[in-house]
Amino acid sequence: MWDILKNRWKQGYRTVDFPSKVEMPERFRLSTANDGEPQLVKALDARMQKLFGRSLKLRVVSAGSCNGCEMELQALGNVVFDLSRFGIQFVASPRHADGIVVTGPVTKNMALALKETYDAVGEPKIVIAVGTCAINGGCFAGSGEVLNGAASTVPVNLYIPGCPPHPLIILNGLLRLLDRK
Amino acid sequence: MTFPFLTIQNAVSFEASRVPILPAEAWRQTLLENCAEGKARITALFGETMTPDVTRVYCLLGIDSKKHLLIGAADFFGKNPAYASITPLLPEAHLFERELYEEFGILPVDHPWLKPVRKQENHSFYKIEGEGIHEVAVGPVHAGIIEPGHFRFQCHGEKVLHLEIQLGYQRRGVEALMIAADSKQQAVLAESVAGDTVIGHGLAYCHAMEGLSERSITPKRCQSLRAIALELERVSNHIGDLGALAGDVGFLPAAAWFGRLRGDFLNMLMELTGNRYGRSFVMPGGVLFDITPEMLRSFIRRLEKALTEVKELAELFFGASSVLTRLGQTGVIKQETARSLGAVGLAARASNLLRDVRQNYPAGIYRAHNIALVKMSTGDVYARARLRSLESKRSLQFLRERLEDLSADKIAQPCGMSKKGAMIVSLIEGWRGEIAHVVATGAEGEIRRYKIVDPSFHNWMALSLAMRNGQISDFPLVNKSFNLSYAGHDL
Ligand code: SF4
């Protein structure tokens, strides 16, 4: 066993650096009134940043997602993306959390549980909607069984698009929200 | 006296009018006789509303030894039809009968536990009473980053006497959406049935559409590329699950390493398809992207390296005695239990039941090239974990062979219009097990009924039974060893 570990150690593997700039292909760029970089995310105000800027604990509520978004959120915790180096962590209880992350289009069957989890988080709190489904229902929009997005049930501070969003995109969104990028 | 069901093949369409419609009682008898002594097993049992007061119930049976399927139907009339439940004689029907009752109101008389499958109402849980018995309720929102479901344990101290699992929170109404959607949306929806089985469900949809179309030849290269994506998906999930198991027993070096290795496979999928899970890669008629020669060379090299790593990692993980103590004899499902529950896929193979669509009902490239299968006999968490690493190795070898003999060919060939009044059964061995999509078209070739059965639908009960008389603290471990889909069950 030690030989194997030693071997691995020698070869080494690094946590990825956060890419400083990713060029978006032209057709994906947002048009903006001024020519500068489009403002994708509005950072939290000074008070919230003081509170959460260096330590943010989040509780994930999956509300009808296909498990794709969950897997990318889980992947954020692995050695490659290592979310906790930014002081952001996913916690086991809404009582320990500063906010919630919602995935999925919010099914009718999950609306109550989502609302109650949100209520259980102490004020002030933030809500982050991850994935196309949580934005507007995604491919499930219009089904009689879903409520077409997280905003149907809780007030959302940040939307992170993608189906599912790459872990780096989620990370990007979170860091911009905390104005650390 | 029995009436024969229609014999059909995987991914080959047939005229819907050829399905024998039997009187309800004769249908039930034929079903039971076919399944006697484990000769056949239920692959799907589902209804379709024909007219406001006729509901047709189809039964699809798989005969693994003969490599074909049987289908037969019965019509039920009026508002609240009833028939004698099959479950007491054939437990594997239990969830299908509950589903039929919930969706179509067809009452299986004497069903032992007739409660809603997905609706959030009338929840009464099985209760054990007595001194020192306590109940533990968990969910739908769980501690980890996982999908929602409710678990109700009846315990005596640490010992679990009974576990009841209530799902339905992920209900999105996919089957109904499939009928309303256009063909582009359908492909996306099929992939979103379970986001960890994108290629599996996507491929089941594609095979169905191709089989139904009047003219369709899938080029050989495209079939190979699909198999490559499917096996990459299998390996990445198996390795990811091993990482989760390692994390649960507190063996962190292996957990970290497995987690990273999984990323390597996802990155290959990403290079090939543009998405870590291969979304929108397979489409009816072919695949969206081809593999470039450089990519091919780099894949072969990286897979070679990955194979060594999987071997080393298995040695590390399964060589640690502290790991073996936790995994061995935990969450046991005996072969008999697995058979009576109709378990499929990895969960069945870990209990000494060789059920694998790639061998029993091969379609696509698997018709021409066999993949070596493995099974284990102990049915415990160890067997399911070990099987994951063994299957990963087989898949990696298979992947290399496919990459090495890729034929020069087109990667897509548009299919024609859908046949009218036809039906098709499309089975795919996803990484969890048998995925079944059954599609029926109407008079204009439009989709009339789309039924999806995720492997988890067969297997959830096995998780309940695996927990019986176990320690409640072992639940996360046993749960991970099955790693079933909530979304796939709830649709
Ligand atoms: S956004 Fe995509 S990956 Fe995320 S839950 Fe919805 S369908 Fe699944």
Side-chain angles (χ1 to χ4, degrees), chain A residues 59 64 66 72 74 107 109 143, chain B residues 142 145 168-170 172 195 277:
Chain A
R59 165 71 263 192
C66 71
E72 293 304 49
Q74 275 169 6
T107 54
N109 291 349
S143 160
Chain B
H142 299 279
I145 308 177
Y169 299 97
Q170 300 277 67
R172 294 147 295 165
Y277 299 95

Side-chain angles (χ1 to χ4, degrees), chain A residues 64-70 103-105 130-134 137-140 162-165, chain B residues 172 188 192 195 279:
Chain A
S65 83
C66 71
N67 200 25
C69 288
E70 276 79 358
T103 62
V130 170
T132 320
C133 286
C139 57
F140 306 113
C163 179
Chain B
R172 294 147 295 165
V188 177
S192 306
R279 279 180 182 267

Side-chain angles (χ1 to χ4, degrees), chain B residues 270-317:
Chain B
M270 173 121 164
E271 278 166 51
L272 179 62
T273 72
N275 179 286
R276 300 222 310 162
Y277 299 95
R279 279 180 182 267
S280 301
F281 177 61
V282 291
M283 54 177 192
V287 293
L288 201 53
F289 302 106
D290 202 351
I291 191 165
T292 61
E294 303 85 70
M295 214 191 269
L296 190 72
R297 276 193 297 277
S298 127
F299 274 22
I300 293 178
R301 189 171 38 75
R302 281 146 75 189
L303 287 173
E304 192 70 40
K305 189 159 158 274
L307 191 61
T308 331
E309 280 196 53
V310 171
K311 282 187 189 145
E312 284 183 356
L313 246 172
E315 209 180 296
L316 174 72
F317 186 57

